[in-house]
Amino acid sequence: MDATAQRIRLEVSDKISGISCGGIAAPMELLRVLPFRSAIDERLHLLKAHKPYSESDHVVNLMLNIISGGDCLEDIELLRQDDAYLRAVNAARIPDPTTAGDFLRRFEERDIHTLIDINNEMNMNIWEAAQVDRSEALIDIDGTIQQTYGECKENMDMSYKGKWGFNPLILTEANSGVHLAGVNRAGNVNSAEGAVAWIDRAVVVAKSYFQKVLLRGDSAFSLTREFDRWDNEGVEFVFSYDCMNNLEKRADLLATKAWRRVPRKKTRRHTHANVKREAIARRGYKHYRAKREWIAEFGYCPSKCGKEYRMVVVKRELELSIGQKLMMPEYRYFFYITNNRERTPLQILDLIHRRCNHENKIEQLDNGVHALKMPAAEFHANWAYMVICVMAWNLKSWLGLLMPNTERGARVVRMEFKRFSRWRLEIPCQVVRQAGYVVYRYIAHNPWLDDLFRLFDRISRLRFARA
């Protein structure tokens, strides 16, 4: 490509206007047919006068900023100066970043709870419309340490890792890929602090649609004092469990025939040299490498429980090398407690391994929709922004669940947000008004364009009960 072969001239068209994020037609249509705006306006009362914006205008404005590729509140300014975008969202004007920030600062904790409830009501509407499999809901629970470099953010504190910031709690339904709750917490809290109330709320939401509910989490959420109650309510759980001396002794006493070899997953053979391993050996570092695993189970009653539950134990053989020297192998135990009686130990282990995808979703909340960036100085304002960004992420999952092509829809549900934005939303189009319609006229082909038209057609035919 020779940049000097032809001269370049710049012009601005005065007749044709367009936007680069033409894919927002589907999210806009979904927000139109869902009872989303009416639920917010009827139940969220933050503004004394609606001149000129309502509560739903502010929430949708923040969501569309994320959907359109915005990273922060300041990016709203680009949208409000774009006449084609205003035409696309059928608005004469939208709130500027300062007004959006002022709106966030009006939230109290009860208002955020209302917003989370509305989000979950929309989740249930989408589950019903998409006919999601009702057999079982998998609720993943985890917290994350969110570091911030500000010094004046309300309730920020130092975590056990020595980082200043917050410790949000995230609950997700794994099968449909939607978030059920995002809870902002101070940085110094224990991972499970306040989690029980939010877990119970998520269980109520899941039970309204799914036949069974199963909770998954790491050892921080292995809340033994709640096990009997959850079991009596028909809620299943699988949690990692701390490796304690009494459990190790129980595992050591298991008969040889109680152990079963864990089959290793077949992987493609690497054709390149392992540079990292060679450097470790050359410099004489200590290196552990997993070799084999065995699995077994036994009954166990935690001290705060009145019932016995299944304790699944994995025995892992680790090959230890120091430089070029191969040492004697070491063995470590990993424990998982569950009240599920139907799955085999291997299926329980697979269930725990698949929980790792929840870590990816939390990372996407941070770097995909920027829900954990804490843009304001006020604690509840940051929490409200987190929940609104969570709903922007859920829009992606809702669109994937509703896609007529279920295979591609499943890919959208699993897709990282930035890739979703680039593949599904960044489609250039003209925006014109024609006979009472806002017309999106696409001017570039995209491999997903046919799916967008079919998805839009399906969304347009949906009918939901109004809030």
Side-chain angles (χ1 to χ4, degrees):
M1 182 180 297
D2 186 2
T4 63
Q6 191 170 2
R7 298 180 64 186
I8 298 174
R9 185 172 66 184
L10 304 182
E11 293 182 351
V12 177
S13 172
D14 57 352
K15 295 182 179 180
I16 300 175
S17 62
I19 57 175
S20 62
C21 54
I24 66 168
M28 283 289 298
E29 183 68 6
L30 184 56
L31 291 176
R32 185 187 69 83
V33 301
L34 278 172
F36 183 73
R37 285 178 173 269
S38 59
I40 291 177
D41 289 336
E42 291 173 10
R43 295 161 57 185
L44 202 62
H45 306 290
L46 302 175
L47 305 173
K48 293 183 178 180
H50 301 117
K51 298 180 180 179
Y53 307 114
S54 65
E55 285 84 356
S56 63
D57 291 332
H58 281 282
V59 173
V60 171
N61 178 46
L62 290 166
M63 291 173 64
L64 291 181
N65 177 50
I66 299 297
I67 287 288
S68 303
D71 293 340
C72 57
L73 292 177
E74 286 73 15
D75 289 339
I76 297 175
E77 186 64 28
L78 293 174
L79 300 179
R80 69 187 301 268
Q81 299 293 340
D82 189 338
D83 291 337
Y85 174 82
L86 296 178
R87 195 179 304 120
V89 299
N90 196 27
R93 57 183 177 270
I94 60 175
D96 64 17
T98 304
T99 306
D102 178 69
F103 173 73
L104 292 174
R105 285 188 287 273
R106 294 173 180 266
F107 276 86
E108 299 293 340
E109 184 170 349
R110 63 179 181 274
D111 303 314
I112 300 171
H113 288 202
T114 300
L115 201 59
I116 292 174
D117 290 339
I118 293 171
N119 169 69
N120 285 327
E121 289 171 12
M122 300 306 110
N123 282 334
M124 289 186 281
N125 281 328
I126 296 298
W127 290 338
E128 190 72 42
Q131 298 181 350
V132 174
D133 184 11
R134 292 178 177 268
S135 59
E136 184 178 56
L138 299 177
I139 299 180
D140 288 326
I141 313 148
D142 206 356
T144 181
I145 296 175
Q146 182 64 23
Q147 186 177 11
T148 178
Y149 296 99
E151 296 184 356
C152 302
K153 295 186 182 293
E154 187 179 11
N155 282 6
M156 66 181 294
D157 213 324
M158 184 181 291
S159 70
Y160 72 95
K161 292 185 176 180
K163 297 180 179 179
W164 284 92
F166 300 88
N167 190 349
L169 174 69
I170 307 298
L171 288 87
T172 304
E173 201 292 304
N175 291 325
S176 57
V178 299
H179 293 292
L180 303 178
V183 186
N184 200 13
R185 302 180 298 180
N188 66 330
V189 302
N190 181 278
S191 294
E193 185 172 323
V196 173
W198 289 102
I199 292 172
D200 290 342
R201 291 179 65 167
V203 167
V204 171
V205 172
K207 279 187 173 182
S208 66
Y209 181 83
F210 295 93
Q211 297 170 359
K212 293 194 304 182
V213 178
L214 187 142
L215 307 175
R216 294 191 299 190
D218 58 28
S219 59
F221 298 93
S222 190
L223 306 171
T224 55
R225 66 173 63 89
E226 306 293 335
F227 284 179
D228 289 348
R229 180 175 64 85
W230 285 336
D231 188 61
N232 293 334
E233 294 174 356
V235 178
E236 297 183 348
F237 54 82
V238 179
F239 293 109
S240 300
Y241 206 82
D242 289 334
C243 184
M244 298 182 292
N245 291 334
N246 63 326
L247 294 177
E248 288 188 341
K249 290 178 181 178
R250 290 283 301 273
D252 288 335
L253 293 174
L254 290 175
T256 304
K257 63 180 181 180
W259 296 94
R260 180 180 176 183
R261 180 77 177 270
V262 177
R264 299 191 66 177
K265 294 183 179 180
K266 294 182 179 180
T267 56
R268 294 181 180 179
R269 181 174 297 175
H270 294 288
T271 57
H272 301 286
N274 193 320
V275 178
K276 180 179 179 180
R277 191 176 301 165
E278 290 177 356
I280 290 173
R282 184 171 63 252
R283 297 172 184 174
Y285 294 158
K286 182 184 290 188
H287 177 65
Y288 286 98
R289 181 184 178 190
K291 294 292 290 184
R292 295 178 293 177
E293 288 183 340
W294 297 266
I295 193 169
E297 68 171 296
F298 55 86
Y300 180 70
C301 179
S303 60
K304 296 180 181 179
C305 297
K307 297 181 180 181
E308 186 177 83
Y309 299 102
R310 295 174 67 191
M311 184 65 76
V312 177
V313 53
V314 174
K315 183 179 181 180
R316 181 175 299 169
E317 179 185 1
L318 299 176
E319 180 185 81
L320 172 61
S321 59
I322 301 178
Q324 300 288 348
K325 297 178 181 179
L326 188 63
M327 314 301 289
M328 290 292 292
E330 296 184 10
Y331 296 90
R332 293 181 185 174
Y333 290 117
F334 300 86
F335 296 93
Y336 310 97
I337 192 167
T338 180
N339 64 340
N340 181 279
R341 305 293 178 180
E342 301 171 357
R343 289 180 168 90
T344 66
L346 285 175
Q347 290 172 333
I348 294 294
L349 183 62
D350 180 66
L351 199 65
I352 283 290
H353 286 170
R354 286 191 283 117
R355 189 188 68 85
C356 296
N357 191 46
H358 188 51
E359 301 284 349
N360 298 330
K361 293 176 183 175
I362 293 177
E363 186 276 334
Q364 282 299 296
L365 283 185
D366 187 13
N367 299 313
V369 296
H370 307 283
L372 309 182
K373 296 305 182 184
M374 312 297 173
E378 294 77 14
F379 178 77
H380 289 121
N382 287 324
W383 188 357
Y385 183 75
M386 178 195 304
V387 174
I388 292 172
C389 291
V390 161
M391 292 192 293
W393 166 274
N394 282 353
L395 262 178
K396 176 187 79 73
S397 297
W398 297 343
L399 294 173
L401 293 172
L402 291 172
M403 284 182 63
N405 187 328
T406 56
E407 181 181 351
R408 286 204 168 194
R411 288 176 61 187
V412 169
V413 171
R414 298 191 303 268
M415 195 176 287
E416 292 184 350
F417 193 83
K418 288 184 178 179
R419 187 181 176 200
F420 164 76
S421 178
R422 177 159 295 184
W423 280 65
R424 294 298 313 276
L425 301 180
E426 294 181 6
I427 309 175
C429 74
Q430 299 174 14
V431 183
V432 297
R433 292 187 183 274
Q434 195 175 79
Y437 286 89
V438 176
V439 180
Y440 288 65
R441 185 173 296 157
Y442 295 98
I443 57 178
H445 185 266
N446 182 295
W448 294 80
L449 198 57
D450 293 339
D451 293 290
L452 175 61
F453 275 84
R454 286 194 287 267
L455 172 62
F456 187 89
D457 183 60
R458 180 180 182 182
I459 293 173
S460 300
R461 296 197 303 268
L462 292 177
R463 295 295 180 267
F464 297 99
R466 310 311 294 178

